[in-house]
Amino acid sequence: MIFLKKLMQTVQWFADLLNSTKRSGGSFGSSSVEKGDRDGLHGVFSWSAAMSLSSTPPILSVRPSRALVDEAFEVLVENLPPVSPFTLRSLHHSEDGDDWEAYGRYVSDHSGRVSVSEDLSFGGTYSGMEPLGLIWSLRPVPGSRTGLRLRKKDVTTPMLITISLYNGHEDFRDNSPLVSMVTERWYMGPGIQRIEITDGELRGGLFIPPGPGPFPGILDLWGGGGGLLEYRSALLASRGYVCLALEYFKTGQMKSTDMSFEYFENAYHVLKDHPQVIPDRVGIISLCLGTIVTLGLVAESTEIKPCCVVCISNIISKSPGKTLSGFHRSIPSEFNKIRVDENNHQIWRDVGLALLQEPSMKVDVAKINCPLLLVNGCDDQNWCAVETADDISKTMNAAGKGHLLTRLDYPETGHLIEPPFSPHCPAGNFIMYSSNQKVLQRYGGKTKPHSDAQDDSWRKILSFLRHHLYCSQKAMM
C-alpha cells in the first residue's frame, strides 16, 4: 500500500506539472515528456533550469554514517529543485582492488527532497522503495573481472562506501557528482577484541565482545573456498558471542589437506575452555563444506556436545575415514554429473543428488541430539540443499527427533547465503581440488529475493542462537 501511495503521488506530481505548463504555454526545455529519454524521465527539468529554482547546493546526509553491516541507514538529499530527476550511486573499492557500485534513479518531491527510505527508485540496480538498495544491489562496475565475490578480509577496518548524487537519469560515470559523502560499514563493533589463534596446529581468529562476560561461544566454519574468513564471526561477536573463525585449509589447497576431525574437536575445546566463554553454551555455525564437518561431529563425536547448530546450504555426505580429505577423494567419481550452462558456469547440483542416493555416503543424522537450524536456497545450483534438508527431515522425524529441527527454505535464493545486505554472488571463481584449475561455479539465486533471504535468515539465525545459547535450558535428548 505504501508503494502504491508513493507511486500515485509521483504520477500526480507529473500531472500537475504538465497541467501548469500547458496553462502557461511553456515547455520542458530541450526535451518534452512525450519524447523523454530511455528512462522516460530525463528532460522534465534541465539542470540549468532547475538551478534557477534553487539558490543553495544540495545537502546529502547518511544516518548513521557509521554502523554495523546488518544495520539499516537512511539516505536523504535536500535543497533540490522540485520534481526533478536525479541518480544516487554507491561506490566501494574492495580490498581485492575491484570497484563495486549500485545506483537508483529518483525524482525529487515538491519540497525538493529525495529519501531513499521513502521514495521509489525508477530503475538502476534496484527498483521500487528499497531503503538499503544502495548496499545489497552492489555489483562489479562494467568491465570488471568475472566471478567476483565481495568479502571483507580485514575486519578491523570498515567497508568505505561513497554515496554520490548525480543530475538526471543518463549515464553518470563520466560526470562529476553534485555532492558526495563516505559512510562506514563495520563487521566488528566497538570494543570487540580480536585474538589470532596459533594454538598448536590451530589457525583462526577469536572475537570477544566487550564487557565482563562470560558469553556463549560459537565455532564458525566456512566452505570449500578455503582461507580464513572472519567477517561473520566479527559480526556475531558484535551481537554478544565469543566466536572462533577457524581456517582448516588454505585457499585452493583442499586437495592437499589431510585435516583430521580431531582438529575441529580441538578447536571446539579451545573455544569452550576460554575463560570468557560459558562452557555449556557453545554452538556451531557453518556453510557448505563446513556443514560436512558440523553434521559429522554432532552425529558421531563423543568429544563435543554443542547446544545448537546452524547449517547453511547443507551437505549431508560424510567423509570416509577420519579426515576431511576423504570427502574430496570420493567426489571425483561423480564429476560426470557436473553440468555447464550457457555462460560456461559449472552446476554441481546433480553431483550432490547422486551422492544423496548412496546411504553409505550419508551422515547418520538420527544420532543428532541438539537443536538444528537448516537454511536453504531453493535455487541453489551448487548443491542440492533443499533435497538434502528433505532427507535430514525424513531421517530425524523417523528417529523421533523432528522437534529438534527447524528449516528455512527461501525461493529464488542461491547457495551463498551470507550476512544481510551482502552483495549477491550468482557465480564465482573456484579452484578445482582435483586439478587446481580455476572454474566459474554457478551459485544461483536472483538478486532481490536472495538479498531478502539473507536479511530474513540472519534475523532468524540470531533469534535461534539467542534462544538456545542465552535464554533456554539446553534442549538435549
Side-chain angles (χ1 to χ4, degrees):
M1 291 299 293
I2 296 176
F3 178 91
L4 290 175
K5 181 179 179 181
K6 297 296 292 186
L7 181 61
M8 291 304 295
Q9 288 175 343
T10 302
V11 171
Q12 186 61 51
W13 292 336
F14 280 106
D16 293 344
L17 190 61
L18 280 167
N19 290 334
S20 63
T21 304
K22 289 177 180 178
R23 286 193 298 268
S24 64
S27 67
F28 289 100
S30 60
S31 299
S32 68
V33 171
E34 286 78 7
K35 290 181 180 179
D37 72 345
R38 63 187 178 192
D39 304 308
L41 292 171
H42 180 67
V44 173
F45 271 89
S46 68
W47 178 244
S48 58
M51 280 301 291
S52 67
L53 301 178
S54 176
S55 59
T56 57
I59 299 173
L60 171 63
S61 59
V62 179
R63 300 190 181 99
S65 61
R66 181 183 292 113
L68 292 174
V69 296
D70 62 353
E71 295 176 336
F73 63 18
E74 294 183 358
V75 179
L76 177 67
V77 190
E78 299 174 285
N79 286 353
L80 295 172
V83 198
S84 302
F86 296 94
T87 298
L88 276 164
R89 181 203 195 194
S90 59
L91 181 66
H92 171 67
H93 187 70
S94 75
E95 292 161 309
D96 293 322
D98 301 294
D99 288 330
W100 294 67
E101 70 172 8
Y103 58 95
R105 299 184 176 108
Y106 291 89
V107 175
S108 58
D109 65 14
H110 274 307
S111 64
R113 290 166 32 110
V114 169
S115 170
V116 175
S117 298
E118 299 175 353
D119 295 331
L120 306 178
S121 167
F122 290 92
T125 57
Y126 62 96
S127 298
M129 192 185 301
E130 294 292 344
L132 272 295
L134 288 169
I135 303 297
W136 62 254
S137 71
L138 282 166
R139 62 186 61 179
V141 300
S144 297
R145 298 177 295 142
T146 59
L148 296 179
R149 178 181 175 189
L150 183 57
R151 292 182 290 185
K152 192 77 177 75
K153 295 179 178 178
D154 181 4
V155 297
T156 64
T157 63
M159 287 181 63
L160 299 178
I161 299 177
T162 301
I163 309 293
S164 300
L165 176 75
Y166 295 84
N167 177 45
H169 288 173
E170 291 185 333
D171 189 16
F172 50 81
R173 295 185 184 90
D174 294 329
N175 300 326
S176 297
L178 304 175
V179 62
S180 297
M181 73 168 295
V182 176
T183 179
E184 297 180 3
R185 307 288 288 173
W186 288 84
Y187 284 96
M188 190 168 159
I192 300 295
Q193 183 181 7
R194 179 191 178 274
I195 301 173
E196 185 173 354
I197 297 298
T198 56
D199 189 325
E201 294 183 350
L202 289 183
R203 304 185 304 274
L206 184 69
F207 294 84
I208 304 174
F215 307 92
I218 299 175
L219 180 63
D220 186 5
L221 304 176
W222 282 87
L228 178 59
L229 300 177
E230 298 182 318
Y231 53 93
R232 187 168 60 195
S233 286
L235 191 57
L236 285 169
S238 302
R239 297 305 178 196
Y241 302 92
V242 176
C243 207
L244 173 57
L246 187 66
E247 180 184 42
Y248 45 103
F249 63 92
K250 298 292 185 181
T251 301
Q253 295 182 8
M254 190 195 303
K255 184 178 180 180
S256 63
T257 187
D258 197 30
M259 195 66 65
S260 71
F261 284 97
E262 185 179 347
Y263 177 84
F264 302 96
E265 292 174 335
N266 290 341
Y268 185 91
H269 284 300
V270 166
L271 176 64
K272 179 178 73 70
D273 295 339
H274 192 280
Q276 284 292 84
V277 174
I278 305 171
D280 62 348
R281 295 283 175 167
V282 178
I284 306 176
I285 186 170
S286 56
L287 179 141
C288 189
L289 183 69
T291 67
I292 294 177
V293 176
T294 300
L295 293 173
L297 288 175
V298 174
E300 302 292 346
S301 175
T302 59
E303 292 290 319
I304 67 172
K305 300 296 179 184
C307 272
C308 63
V309 167
V310 177
C311 289
I312 305 168
S313 303
N314 48 93
I315 302 175
I316 198 177
S317 302
K318 67 180 180 181
S319 181
K322 297 183 178 181
T323 67
L324 185 59
S325 60
F327 173 72
H328 64 72
R329 281 198 298 265
S330 65
I331 281 190
S333 63
E334 304 295 345
F335 274 179
N336 62 316
K337 306 292 195 311
I338 296 175
R339 293 183 283 122
V340 179
D341 68 11
E342 65 278 5
N343 297 312
N344 202 35
H345 298 164
Q346 290 191 358
I347 299 172
W348 281 48
R349 268 184 52 81
D350 293 345
V351 175
L353 288 172
L355 293 175
L356 205 56
Q357 304 306 312
E358 296 289 339
S360 63
M361 284 294 295
K362 293 192 290 188
V363 173
D364 186 4
V365 294
K367 296 180 180 179
I368 292 177
N369 292 316
C370 69
L372 170 63
L373 173 62
L374 303 179
V375 183
N376 315 295
C378 295
D379 189 41
D380 189 337
Q381 299 298 312
N382 185 243
W383 205 259
C384 51
V386 172
E387 291 84 354
T388 300
D390 290 339
D391 194 285
I392 293 173
S393 298
K394 180 180 178 180
T395 302
M396 292 188 70
N397 284 328
K401 298 180 180 180
H403 64 287
L404 294 175
L405 179 63
T406 304
R407 284 182 62 172
L408 301 175
D409 296 335
Y410 292 100
E412 298 182 305
T413 299
H415 183 71
L416 296 176
I417 302 175
E418 305 217 61
F421 316 127
S422 299
H424 173 221
C425 180
N429 294 313
F430 185 79
I431 298 176
M432 295 282 288
Y433 40 81
S434 59
S435 62
N436 283 331
Q437 175 190 6
K438 186 167 74 172
V439 300
L440 275 170
Q441 282 192 337
R442 182 176 167 189
Y443 298 126
K446 296 181 180 178
T447 300
K448 170 58 177 167
H450 187 94
S451 174
D452 289 343
Q454 290 187 149
D455 186 21
D456 185 77
S457 64
W458 182 251
R459 312 299 165 191
K460 290 175 179 174
I461 287 170
L462 291 180
S463 177
F464 178 85
L465 294 173
R466 189 181 309 113
H467 177 71
H468 293 292
L469 296 180
Y470 265 109
C471 302
S472 71
Q473 296 296 316
K474 293 178 69 177
M476 304 291 285
M477 289 293 291

